[in-house]
Amino acid sequence: MATRRILRLTGTETDDFLQNLVTNDIGGLQRGLVYAALLTPQGKYIADFFLKRDGDSILLDVAAPLADDLVRRLTMYKLRAKVEIAETDLHLHRGTGPAPADALPDPRHPDMGWRAYRTEAESDDGSNWDAIRVAHCIPESGIELTPDTFVLEAGFEALNGVDFRKGCYVGQEVTARMKHKTELSKGLRRVEIDGPTAPGDEILSDGKAAGTVFTRSGNHAIAYLRLDRAQGEMTAGEATLRLI
């Protein structure tokens, strides 16, 4: 089953429509893929996706479980804008080896390789994507990224997923305030783990709730932590954890 759906946005107002909605500057499409998110007015995550210029249209590459709700919300915002949103017969292909001619670099991190869009069934080159994500604390749709997520806590600035100079977008006020007026007290971090854990296990520090374990690869994992409590040795189930 395909993990991604590729949508096509067309129409004379497509660029302005997206620019006023998403977290990143779509002017970056001149250089390659743009990684961005759609947020609620309260600044919380709805969906993250990749955008690609394709002739007079823009392709939108989103996790399949999020696609229907994303289309519904984009349609709600569209109103009378001259924008059409349609399914395509394209599928994601990706890898970490030499990039083929039709591929573009993943903008989140060089180690995430390349992405290409083709009519052939979705495939990749067998790379250990979880290991790469954990090594660089890169969140995944539906795992670390949930409706409770604030994208700055999820590292979107380091992942080239938010632009603070582009102007207004949905959720911009909350995101900008978190950037400029507060010090983040929670967020995704890498931890070292000794012992068995499962995604969703609660992390404790001195008996107090300190966070949650998410993707694990080997003895490292991505965890969502209360940073004021992520000190010294922590526990999750039968495992011990340390902030890296």
Side-chain angles (χ1 to χ4, degrees), residues 18 192 244:
L18 288 172
E192 186 176 28
I244 299 175

Side-chain angles (χ1 to χ4, degrees), residues 52-127:
K52 178 185 183 292
R53 181 77 68 191
D54 187 43
D56 293 332
S57 64
I58 294 176
L59 299 179
L60 189 154
D61 161 10
V62 64
L66 304 180
D68 287 340
D69 184 54
L70 178 61
V71 170
R72 182 179 64 81
R73 290 175 183 270
L74 291 176
T75 301
M76 177 185 69
Y77 282 119
K78 184 167 73 71
L79 298 175
R80 299 179 185 273
K82 295 178 181 178
V83 179
E84 297 297 329
I85 305 166
E87 296 284 344
T88 73
D89 61 356
L90 297 172
H91 301 278
L92 173 66
H93 293 249
R94 62 177 181 165
T96 55
D102 62 341
L104 290 170
D106 188 315
R108 294 174 295 176
H109 192 279
D111 286 356
M112 290 297 289
W114 52 266
R115 304 173 82 88
Y117 304 97
R118 304 169 184 157
T119 54
E120 295 84 10
E122 181 174 316
S123 71
D124 64 39
D125 64 354
S127 295

